[in-house]
Amino acid sequence: TGTVVAGYVTDEELADLYAAGIGLILVSLAEGFGLPIVEAAAAGVARFVLSDLPVFRWIARDAAEYVDPTSVAAIGEALRRMLEEPADAPALGVTRFDWDDSAEAVRLAAVALTRA
């Protein structure tokens, strides 16, 4: 195991990095949406350690371990479990995050706003 500081990568390279990893660790203090979670799941990632944020819980549901992003001890323990213990979380289904469906929902919302 190791850390890769990759800099800019193409979409294909990013998918390869996700697929080659043990899991995704995304600990931030605030997010508008957790696109890396959906991208990683689409690339086959099955293990997630995420900040305990409402948007992350909405995306990953029961497929992740949630941690306090300000607790180094909690993050470290979750990483240890990710590396040493078998995965027991359900798979994160990404079919509900379809770009075409999302675009249509935004279009319909915009139409509704212009008629209001």
Side-chain angles (χ1 to χ4, degrees), residues 26-28 50-57 65-69:
L26 185 56
V27 286
S28 62
L50 307 173
S51 295
D52 193 0
L53 299 174
V55 68
F56 286 177
R57 285 190 175 272
E65 178 172 352
Y66 298 95
V67 296
D68 175 352

Side-chain angles (χ1 to χ4, degrees), residues 18-113:
Y18 283 137
I22 294 169
L24 177 73
I25 300 111
L26 185 56
V27 286
S28 62
L29 299 176
E31 289 289 335
F33 185 77
L35 186 57
I37 301 166
V38 178
E39 292 174 329
V45 171
R47 311 269 324 248
F48 297 88
V49 172
L50 307 173
S51 295
D52 193 0
L53 299 174
V55 68
F56 286 177
R57 285 190 175 272
W58 178 76
I59 294 168
R61 300 176 176 162
D62 294 333
E65 178 172 352
Y66 298 95
V67 296
D68 175 352
T70 65
S71 172
V72 173
I75 296 166
E77 184 59 25
L79 291 174
R80 183 200 61 74
R81 281 191 295 278
M82 179 183 277
L83 294 171
E84 296 177 359
E85 297 177 8
D88 60 355
L92 191 162
V94 293
T95 56
R96 64 191 170 109
F97 300 109
D98 178 80
W99 281 115
D100 292 331
D101 291 345
S102 297
E104 180 63 9
V106 170
R107 187 190 71 76
L108 292 173
V111 168
L113 285 174

Side-chain angles (χ1 to χ4, degrees), residues 4-19:
V4 174
V5 179
Y8 175 81
V9 296
T10 65
D11 290 342
E12 294 78 20
E13 291 168 328
L14 181 59
D16 290 343
L17 287 169
Y18 283 137

